[in-house]
């Protein structure tokens, strides 16, 4: 097997268990380098570091799959890993829907699998994972006997790995508009054309966190997508709920979901730009008991962090101005590069500008089916904050 020898000084990141090895961390390679093949990684003094797949075209040259030198990478390996990931999700209470594989956090770098009850959506985001797609599909068939498997590989990062973007069935074709149950509610998931894998499972635990504060409240939710937070608010006893999304299609889906749960008398949706209307409604003096914000990621690159933070400050400032004294702000950020500390600091700055005092109700991360691994920073990406706005 091809051996990859690291520089004499190996980074703390790799030493502490991070699975990525960048090309500039490699001293030399013994043997042939074939894209996507399995290689063994050693320190300069020949100590085994791990086994993983290589792609000379990617800046992340090697992604480790195991630190155990006796573990072979073959079909059984994928079966074993997927089964272990499912057992973990069951252990912590997930039964129907969950992120079954969360890449690095499940020791499966660049693999995402979302389980929507009997249906599975897969993303293989690196070449080294792509070549094992059949093994992954076989394992899913063996473990779950699913009704359908779909690949949502229409993601630009694949191009960094020299792969094309694509989507399609990995099982017999099926109706890709499915209905899932979440917290006692029903939601339509469009596996084929929805955002990302079709539905944001990462907020599923957080959606329950609004239960107490929305009772009897007039609620405004911006960046609603399929209307999940808003429909939860209505279900938990809000007086009225208005959800906003810039996409007409999202508003259509959200409206269908409200009907599906027979909550259309309480929840309505509008297709508008939230940045614009929140500003205008602030000027008009509109007031709500609860404002909820869940914008898309504002940046994926380090150069734009300041701009992203300015965006968070602006939207949260506009949101706070719409909240009655003693009302609540429910605010999220899924931008990977914005740390929890940076996010809180930004909300604090917005509060200062709005001349409001905040009282923290809860500060959470993504649902626990997306495990956070200490030392692998990008596994801790979602910030979810509820504050009382005094
Ligand atoms: N809250 C949703 C996820 C929201 S994803 C859930 O829990 O599932 C972010 C949404 O913001 C997308 O649907 C996108 O269409 C919408 N969006 C992006 N820019 C917007 C803008 N300027 N105004 C309103 N909505 C916007």
């Amino acid at each position: 097997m091809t051996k990859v020898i690291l520089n004499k000084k190996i980074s703390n990141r790799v030493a502490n268990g991070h699975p990525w090895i960048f090309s500039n961390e490699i001293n030399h390679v013994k043997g042939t380098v074939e894209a996507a093949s399995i290689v063994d990684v050693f320190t300069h003094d020949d100590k085994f570091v791990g086994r993983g797949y290589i792609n000379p075209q990617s800046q992340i040259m090697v992604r480790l799959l195991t630190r155990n030198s006796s573990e072979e990478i073959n079909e059984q390996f994928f079966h074993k890993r997927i089964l272990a990931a499912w057992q973990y999700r069951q252990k912590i209470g997930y039964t129907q829907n969950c992120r079954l594989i969360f890449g690095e956090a499940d020791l499966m770098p660049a693999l995402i699998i979302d389980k929507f009850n009997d249906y599975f959506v897969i993303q293989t985001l690196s070449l080294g994972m792509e070549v094992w797609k059949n093994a992954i599909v076989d394992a899913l068939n063996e473990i779950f006997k699913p009704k359908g498997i779909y690949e949502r590989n229409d993601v630009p990062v694949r191009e960094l790995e020299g792969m094309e973007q694509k989507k399609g069935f990995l099982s017999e074709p099926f109706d890709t508009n499915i209905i899932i149950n979440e917290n006692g509610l029903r939601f339509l998931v469009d596996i084929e054309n929805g955002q990302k894998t079709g539905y944001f499972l990462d907020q599923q635990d957080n959606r329950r966190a609004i239960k107490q504060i929305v009772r009897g409240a007039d609620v405004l939710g911006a960046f609603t997508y399929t209307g999940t937070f808003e429909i939860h608010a209505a279900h938990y006893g809000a007086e009225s709920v208005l959800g906003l999304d810039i996409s007409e299609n999202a508003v259509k889906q959200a409206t269908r979901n409200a009907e599906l749960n027979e909550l259309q008398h309480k929840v309505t949706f509008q297709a508008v730009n939230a940045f614009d209307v929140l500003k205008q409604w602030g000027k008009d003096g509109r007031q709500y008991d609860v404002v909820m914000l869940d914008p898309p990621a504002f940046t994926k690159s380090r150069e734009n962090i300041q701009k992203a933070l300015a965006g968070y400050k602006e939207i949260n400032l506009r949101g706070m101005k719409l909240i009655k004294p003693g009302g609540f702000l429910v605010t999220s950020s899924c931008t990977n590069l914005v740390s929890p500390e940076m996010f809180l600091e930004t909300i604090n700055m917005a509060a200062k500008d709005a001349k409001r005092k905040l009282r923290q109700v809860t500060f959470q991360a993504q649902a626990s089916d997306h495990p956070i691994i200490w030392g692998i920073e990008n596994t801790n990406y979602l910030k979810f904050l509820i504050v009382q706005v005094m």
Side-chain angles (χ1 to χ4, degrees), residues 146-166:
K147 288 193 181 146
I149 308 177
Y150 198 85
E151 81 176 295
R152 281 302 299 272
N153 274 326
D154 47 333
V155 235
V157 288
R158 277 178 51 107
E159 290 174 8
L160 301 178
E161 290 268 325
M163 293 186 291
E164 52 167 3
Q165 296 191 41
K166 58 175 170 178

Side-chain angles (χ1 to χ4, degrees), residues 25-90:
E25 293 176 310
I26 295 174
N27 187 285
H28 63 282
V29 179
K30 286 187 197 159
T32 53
V33 176
E34 216 177 293
S37 66
I38 301 296
V39 297
D40 277 352
V41 177
F42 291 88
T43 57
H44 78 286
D45 53 354
D46 216 31
K47 291 199 183 75
F48 182 79
V49 174
R51 180 168 293 146
Y53 56 78
I54 191 164
N55 184 358
Q57 205 181 316
S58 169
Q59 272 195 22
I60 309 172
M61 187 104 118
V62 179
R63 288 178 170 91
L64 298 177
L65 292 161
T66 180
R67 298 266 180 168
N68 174 353
S69 61
S70 56
E71 193 167 36
E72 298 276 333
I73 309 303
N74 51 26
E75 277 80 7
Q76 290 77 30
F77 169 87
F78 286 91
H79 184 108
K80 204 171 58 187
R81 280 282 163 88
I82 291 172
L83 184 60
W86 175 226
Q87 286 167 342
Y88 177 71
R89 271 50 179 194
Q90 288 176 296

Side-chain angles (χ1 to χ4, degrees), residues 290-307:
V290 177
V291 170
M292 308 191 289
L293 307 172
D294 186 18
F298 285 158
T299 180
K300 285 198 159 48
S301 72
R302 284 188 197 279
E303 304 91 77
N304 292 328
I305 292 187
Q306 285 313 320
K307 240 170 135 180

Side-chain angles (χ1 to χ4, degrees), residues 195 199-200 203 207 222-230 244-247 250 272-275 294-296:
Q195 296 179 36
Y199 187 82
F200 291 100
Q203 293 274 31
R207 293 182 189 116
F223 310 97
T224 184
Y225 183 37
T226 48
T228 52
F229 272 100
E230 293 67 23
L244 312 174
D245 201 287
I246 200 160
S247 143
V272 290
N273 184 330
F275 276 90
D294 186 18

